[in-house]
Amino acid sequence: MYEETRQLPIVSPHGHVDPRILAENTPVPNPASLIVQPDHYILRLLYANGVPLETLLNAEPRRVWQLFAEHYYLFRGTPSGAWLDYELFEVFGIRDSLSGETAARIYNEIEEKLAAPEFRPRALFERFNIEVLATTDAATDRLEHHCAIRESGWKGRVIPTFRPDALFKIASPEWPALVGDVRDYSSFVRMLAERRAYFKQMGATNVASLRTY
């Protein structure tokens, strides 16, 4: 099955790529902000093993990477570990195992490659043969980055996904600011319908699963 499908384009119906990255198409600044900090699976496993979350999110990038490398053994046998091994080997051409001892050298190697044109976000999108990428967006999102992608003339197809989770968390202190002038159930439903219609206008074809916990 793999051999029959490996050359087919990628159709990604649910992803967490920030559309700003593809709209601006600027180089990713460093390996920590690309691989470690946006991945909640990585952050949770490190945090569960005693690495302070505040350090992972706020420390200098090389420090974040060093901590990640020192604890890389924790990912052995996990889906995240399999993906990370593949990413390091196939995408970045890293031939050494990541560890505390190799952390600085591998950081420098990845950082150098990220500065090259072929590692810009849109170049990677095309390299990976992505036919369509659906991002995950809050229902109140203005989708300005999706608009910028359209207006740029780039041919990559990036569409939003309507995710209204936050609008159903009525006990949240932020809820009144999100719903604005909504005063009753009818106006709430109307607001949802209007937002959904706008997402469809911008190419959305799906509603992300609700997580109201």
Side-chain angles (χ1 to χ4, degrees):
M1 183 180 294
Y2 174 73
E3 290 301 324
E4 292 178 358
T5 61
R6 64 192 300 260
Q7 299 299 330
L8 295 177
I10 294 173
V11 176
S12 178
H14 177 73
H16 293 278
V17 174
D18 186 345
R20 177 195 294 269
I21 295 173
L22 291 162
E24 297 177 350
N25 197 37
T26 55
V28 178
N30 59 73
S33 65
L34 172 68
I35 295 174
V36 182
Q37 292 170 321
D39 193 323
H40 62 92
Y41 294 109
I42 292 176
L43 295 177
R44 285 190 292 184
L45 184 56
L46 294 175
Y47 178 69
N49 284 273
V51 183
L53 190 60
E54 295 79 9
T55 302
L56 292 170
L57 293 176
N58 301 315
E60 191 272 333
R62 286 184 178 273
R63 174 60 178 157
V64 174
W65 185 262
Q66 183 67 40
L67 286 169
F68 170 58
E70 290 172 359
H71 293 83
Y72 194 68
Y73 67 91
L74 296 170
F75 296 92
R76 293 172 185 163
T78 68
S80 291
W83 168 249
L84 288 164
D85 286 344
Y86 183 91
E87 181 179 10
L88 292 171
F89 189 90
E90 296 291 343
V91 178
F92 290 105
I94 304 300
R95 296 298 180 257
D96 293 327
S97 297
L98 182 61
S99 66
E101 291 72 31
T102 62
R105 184 168 70 254
I106 291 176
Y107 184 100
N108 292 337
E109 189 173 343
I110 295 176
E111 186 177 51
E112 181 179 352
K113 289 180 178 177
L114 288 175
E118 58 267 28
F119 280 87
R120 292 284 184 95
R122 292 183 183 181
L124 289 174
F125 187 103
E126 294 163 1
R127 171 182 167 185
F128 297 153
N129 194 22
I130 299 174
E131 182 175 304
V132 58
L133 171 68
T135 62
T136 301
D137 311 273
T140 53
D141 198 304
R142 293 183 296 132
L143 304 182
E144 67 270 26
H145 302 304
H146 285 274
C147 291
I149 291 171
R150 283 189 170 193
E151 293 167 1
S152 71
W154 179 54
K155 301 303 182 183
R157 187 181 176 205
V158 183
I159 61 176
T161 300
F162 186 70
R163 187 166 189 172
D165 303 46
L167 296 180
F168 290 91
K169 298 178 180 179
I170 61 176
S172 170
E174 291 79 27
W175 191 77
L178 290 176
V179 298
D181 295 330
V182 168
R183 292 293 178 267
D184 53 34
Y185 183 71
S186 296
S187 58
F188 177 68
V189 172
R190 185 164 56 251
M191 183 266 286
L192 279 175
E194 290 172 354
R195 294 303 302 165
R196 184 173 179 272
Y198 177 63
F199 271 67
K200 289 180 67 177
Q201 178 185 330
M202 291 299 296
T205 60
N206 192 25
V207 177
S209 58
L210 289 176
R211 296 179 182 175
T212 55
Y213 51 81

